[in-house]
Amino acid sequence: MNILLIGSGGREHALAWAISASPLCDKLFIAPGNPGTAECGENVVLDIADHRAVADFCKVMGVGLVVVGPEGPLVDGIVDDLEAAGIKTFGPSKAAAQLEGSKAFTKELCAEFGIPTAGFARFTDEAAARTYVARTGAPLVIKADGLAAGKGVVMAETIEQANDALAMMFSGGLGAAGAEVVIEEWMIGEEASFFALCDGTHALPLASAQDHKRAFDGDTGPNTGGMGAYSPAPVMTTAMAEQVMAEIVRPTLAGMNQRGTPFKGVLFAGLMITADGPKLIEYNTRFGDPECEVLMPRLKSDIVPALLAARDGVLNAVDLRWSDDVALTVVMAAKGYPGTPEKGSVIKGIDKAAAEKDVLVFHAGTQAKDGDIVANGGRVLNVVALGRSVSEAQAKAYAAVDLIDWPGGFCRRDIGWQAVKREREG
C-alpha cells in the first residue's frame, strides 16, 4: 500500500526509516517532511491543517494508511476527519487525544479511575493559584493545561519561581495553552518513558526509554522537548513494566472506553518511579521525540502490520520482537534553544557521522539550501548509536557527534549518565 506520514521532525524521520523498510509499503509520502525523510520516501507540500486537502491527496494518490506523527493534528481531530472520508488512519480521535491536549483532563481521569499520579489542583485564576502556592509551599510543578510544544512545564523549586511561572502563563506567554494551569506536587524518583500500542481495548507494550529534558549537562538549565534518550531504561524491569500495564495503562484504556472515547494509537506514559511505585507524570498520545529515535532502531518486527492492527482493533494477534542492543540518541540543537534558536547556520559532516558502524543520523529541524544542510529549528539532529551496553552506545554516539562540523549547534555531553553510572557500579 501507499502510506502517508504526517510531520517533519526527528520522530517522523525515525518512523519514515522504519515504515519504508516494510514489505507492505509500496510508496511512502511525508508531509511536509525534512531533508532526512526525503531519503526514505517523497516529501510533499500539504497544508496538514486542511484536513480536506489531506483527504483529497490520499484519494488521488491511493494512500491506504495515514500515520500521524505530531500531537497538534491529533488534538485538532485529523483522525476523525480522515476516517470519515474513508481513509485508514493511525492515531487517536480528537476526544481521545485530550489525554495529551489537556493536562486537567488526564488528571481528572486518573482521579476517577484510581490511576496513581501526583496530587494536583487546577486553576483559571492567577490570584487563586498564587494563594494555593503560598499555602502549599515549594517545590511544585506548574503546568499549562494545553499543548505548549514542550515548554509548558516549569519545575518550580521556590515560591518565587512558581509565581513567575504563573505570571508568564496567565499573561499569555504560552497563548491559549496557559489559560488554565495545573499545579502538581513535586514527585521524587527516576523518570522513564513507557509506550504501548492501543486498539481501543487491547494494549501491547513497546520498549521503554529514558529522556533527558534539561538543556545542559548534569540535568541543569531550562526544560526542553528532550536533549537525548536511550532505550531500554534499566529502571523499567520486566516486573515494573507489568505493574505499569496493570496499574496505569489498562485502567486508562478501560476508563476511556467507559467514557465512550476509546483510545487507539500509541499511548506514551511519562512516569516517575517513586518509592511507592510507578506514578503517571503525564500522557502523550503519539511516539515521543527523541524517544522514537531510539525505539525504531531496536524494533526487529515490521512496524506497519502493528500500526494497522492498532487501527483495526486486532492488536491481540500481534507480537513484536526487539533487539537486545541499547540505542542512545544525542540531540544536537541550535544555539539559543529552548529560547529563540539561531537559524540558517550550515551543518557539515552529517554523511561522515552516518557512515559510522551502528550509527544513524535522524534529521529534525533541518533544511536543504543551496546544496547545504542548514539549521531550521531548535532541535536539529538526532545522532543515534547502537551498542551492547549504554556505555558502548554512548561512546559510539559521541564519536559520531564529533564528526559533525557545526559551530552553530550544541549538545549535552552526558546523555545516559544515570545508566552508565549504574553499569559501572553494578
Side-chain angles (χ1 to χ4, degrees):
M1 66 174 69
N2 293 342
I3 298 174
L4 170 64
L5 172 64
I6 290 176
S8 63
R11 166 184 50 230
E12 285 74 37
H13 188 181
L15 286 171
W17 176 80
I19 291 169
S20 65
S22 171
L24 293 181
C25 181
D26 288 331
K27 176 144 189 157
L28 176 63
F29 300 101
I30 311 98
N34 63 43
T37 63
E39 298 172 8
C40 306
E42 181 184 336
N43 289 349
V44 292
V45 178
L46 260 182
D47 180 2
I48 57 176
D50 185 343
H51 299 173
R52 181 180 292 251
V54 176
D56 290 344
F57 173 86
C58 291
K59 288 173 181 175
V60 169
M61 303 307 296
V63 169
L65 176 67
V66 176
V67 179
V68 185
E71 62 274 20
L74 295 172
V75 172
D76 288 344
I78 193 170
V79 173
D80 309 65
D81 292 341
L82 293 181
E83 286 281 354
I87 298 157
K88 282 192 176 192
T89 307
F90 173 81
S93 66
K94 181 174 184 175
Q98 287 182 92
L99 281 172
E100 177 165 6
S102 168
K103 302 285 193 301
F105 175 92
T106 297
K107 299 300 284 190
E108 297 292 354
L109 183 92
C110 289
E112 183 178 348
F113 294 99
I115 297 162
T117 189
F120 73 100
R122 46 194 293 203
F123 299 92
T124 53
D125 176 72
E126 185 177 349
R130 284 174 175 267
T131 300
Y132 178 84
V133 166
R135 188 172 72 246
T136 307
L140 290 164
V141 182
I142 313 295
K143 295 183 177 181
D145 177 61
L147 297 180
K151 299 181 179 71
V153 177
V154 176
M155 310 293 288
E157 297 180 31
T158 65
I159 288 177
E160 183 182 18
Q161 288 175 351
N163 286 333
D164 286 347
L166 291 172
M168 180 270 289
M169 292 179 190
F170 280 117
S171 67
L174 297 173
E180 180 170 357
V181 169
V182 174
I183 302 178
E184 293 185 2
E185 70 168 312
W186 182 293
M187 293 191 290
I188 295 173
E190 188 168 346
E191 285 192 49
S193 302
F194 187 81
F195 297 84
L197 279 182
C198 304
D199 67 2
T201 306
H202 312 100
L204 177 68
L206 305 179
S208 64
Q210 194 153 41
D211 184 16
H212 296 63
K213 287 290 185 197
R214 297 296 185 104
F216 308 124
D217 286 14
D219 290 329
T220 59
N223 260 4
T224 71
M227 294 300 294
Y230 57 93
S231 173
V235 71
M236 289 304 299
T237 61
T238 302
M240 184 63 71
E242 180 46 46
Q243 189 177 351
V244 169
M245 289 295 289
E247 297 179 6
I248 296 175
V249 174
R250 292 192 194 107
T252 297
L253 276 194
M256 292 294 281
N257 252 331
Q258 198 170 313
R259 287 181 166 194
T261 54
F263 184 89
K264 290 185 175 186
V266 63
L267 196 56
F268 164 8
L271 303 172
M272 186 69 77
I273 311 303
T274 73
D276 299 324
K279 293 187 178 184
L280 181 70
I281 300 171
E282 63 186 22
Y283 273 132
N284 292 329
T285 60
R286 34 74 190 184
F287 286 101
D289 191 349
E291 292 93 343
C292 190
E293 290 90 315
V294 290
L295 290 183
M296 291 304 110
R298 293 190 58 230
L299 180 60
K300 295 171 76 173
S301 302
D302 187 344
I303 191 174
V304 174
L307 300 179
L308 285 167
R311 184 269 175 195
D312 292 342
V314 291
L315 260 184
N316 53 321
V318 173
D319 187 32
L320 295 176
R321 293 177 302 116
W322 298 87
S323 165
D324 291 332
D325 283 347
V326 172
L328 182 142
T329 184
V330 178
V331 170
M332 299 187 75
K335 286 180 180 175
Y337 179 77
T340 303
E342 299 173 11
K343 295 185 179 182
S345 54
V346 174
I347 309 165
K348 295 182 177 176
I350 296 174
D351 291 345
K352 191 186 292 186
E356 290 291 288
K357 189 174 185 295
D358 299 327
V359 170
L360 294 159
V361 180
F362 292 127
H363 291 238
T366 63
Q367 183 179 27
K369 189 175 182 182
D370 301 328
D372 290 319
I373 297 295
V374 302
N376 191 42
R379 293 183 296 165
V380 176
L381 294 172
N382 296 270
V383 181
V384 186
L386 292 160
R388 287 164 296 179
S389 64
V390 181
S391 304
E392 184 179 302
Q394 184 194 58
K396 288 179 182 177
Y398 281 112
V401 164
D402 291 338
L403 294 174
I404 294 175
D405 178 12
W406 182 30
F410 76 97
C411 67
R412 280 183 57 165
R413 303 295 305 194
D414 64 347
I415 300 302
W417 69 270
Q418 283 176 304
V420 169
K421 183 181 175 195
R422 196 182 254 124
E423 286 176 355
R424 286 174 181 160
E425 291 173 350

